[in-house]
Amino acid sequence: MAFWAILSGLASAASWGAGDFAGGLASRRVPAVRMVLASQLIGTLALVALGVALGEPPAAPGDVALAAVA
């Protein structure tokens, strides 16, 4: 159990760092707002695909509205 927790933490740190570095490089070439919107869209699509693959039920409309505001 501890192995998977450590592996998940390392994978999380590596993906966060790689994303931060790549976002900084990409924002030199395109406007920052476009970069942020593109990264949020990609992240949302990845999470929806993961939810579908794991068989999770869809979120309630109220939850989606609160998430969008946040």
Side-chain angles (χ1 to χ4, degrees):
M1 184 65 122
F3 172 75
W4 292 111
I6 292 169
L7 187 63
S8 294
L10 289 173
S12 157
S15 64
W16 185 279
D20 192 36
F21 180 76
L25 285 180
S27 68
R28 290 181 181 181
R29 288 180 248 152
V30 296
V33 172
R34 187 176 359 162
M35 189 66 225
V36 169
L37 290 175
S39 69
Q40 292 299 308
L41 178 63
I42 291 168
T44 300
L45 292 176
L47 287 176
V48 168
L50 183 63
V52 169
L54 294 175
E56 293 292 324
D63 294 340
V64 173
L66 285 174
V69 170

